[in-house]
Amino acid sequence: MNLKIKLLTILFVAGLTSLFGQEWQTDFNTAQQIAQEKHRPIILVFQGSDWCAPCIKLDREVWSTDEFQKYAKDHYVMLQADFPRKKQNALPEDRARANAQLAEQYNKNGIFPFVVVMDAQGKVKGETSYKKMNPKDYIQLLDSFTE
C-alpha cells in the first residue's frame, strides 16, 4: 500500500472516531472550560496505556465501546492523564509534567487505572477504578456520583 493511501486511511479512521466517539481532553484547564460551558462532569482517567493490564481492559471493555462513546459525547468531559512507560510512547515533557501535577492532586496513591468524577470546578464527586462491568453498568456507576 502506498503512503498516500495509508495516510488517507488513517485520516478517515480518525475522522470517524471524532464524529461518533467522545473526545478525550488532555489539558485540565480546557476540560474545565468545556465542563462549565456544557454543564457536564469531568471524568478524569489515570492510566498507563502501554503497561497497565487493568487500564487496557477498561479501555477495551468500556471507553472504546460504541455504547460508552455515544453516551459520553453528550454527558461527560473525558480527561486523560496517561503515564506510558515505553520510550516510543513517551509524552511531550509539558504533558508529562501536567499529568504528574494532576496525579499529585487527584491520585496521591498512584492507583492505575483510577477514575475521578468531578464537577467543573475540580471538586471530586466520586472515585472508582477498573470493575468487571458492561458499559451500561459503568455509565450508571459514573452517573451515581453526580446525582
Side-chain angles (χ1 to χ4, degrees), residues 62-147:
V62 177
W63 309 140
S64 293
T65 65
D66 288 341
E67 182 177 2
F68 184 85
Q69 290 181 4
K70 286 176 187 172
Y71 186 85
K73 185 175 182 181
D74 295 325
H75 294 88
Y76 306 137
V77 176
M78 300 298 295
L79 176 61
Q80 181 184 74
D82 194 14
F83 293 82
R85 289 186 179 165
K86 294 180 182 173
K87 190 175 182 176
Q88 71 263 27
N89 298 331
L91 300 175
E93 193 174 313
D94 60 333
R95 178 65 24 232
R97 212 175 16 257
N99 287 354
Q101 289 174 340
L102 283 173
E104 183 68 30
Q105 184 170 359
Y106 293 104
N107 190 6
K108 292 181 185 203
N109 294 324
I111 299 168
F112 290 90
F114 191 57
V115 180
V116 181
V117 180
M118 65 180 76
D119 65 18
Q121 287 70 43
K123 181 179 180 208
V124 175
K125 299 296 193 171
E127 302 170 340
T128 190
S129 189
Y130 172 77
K131 299 197 180 313
K132 182 73 176 151
M133 295 179 154
N134 63 44
K136 181 181 179 183
D137 291 340
Y138 209 89
I139 288 167
Q140 287 177 342
L141 173 65
L142 296 176
D143 284 349
S144 74
F145 296 129
T146 60
E147 294 173 345

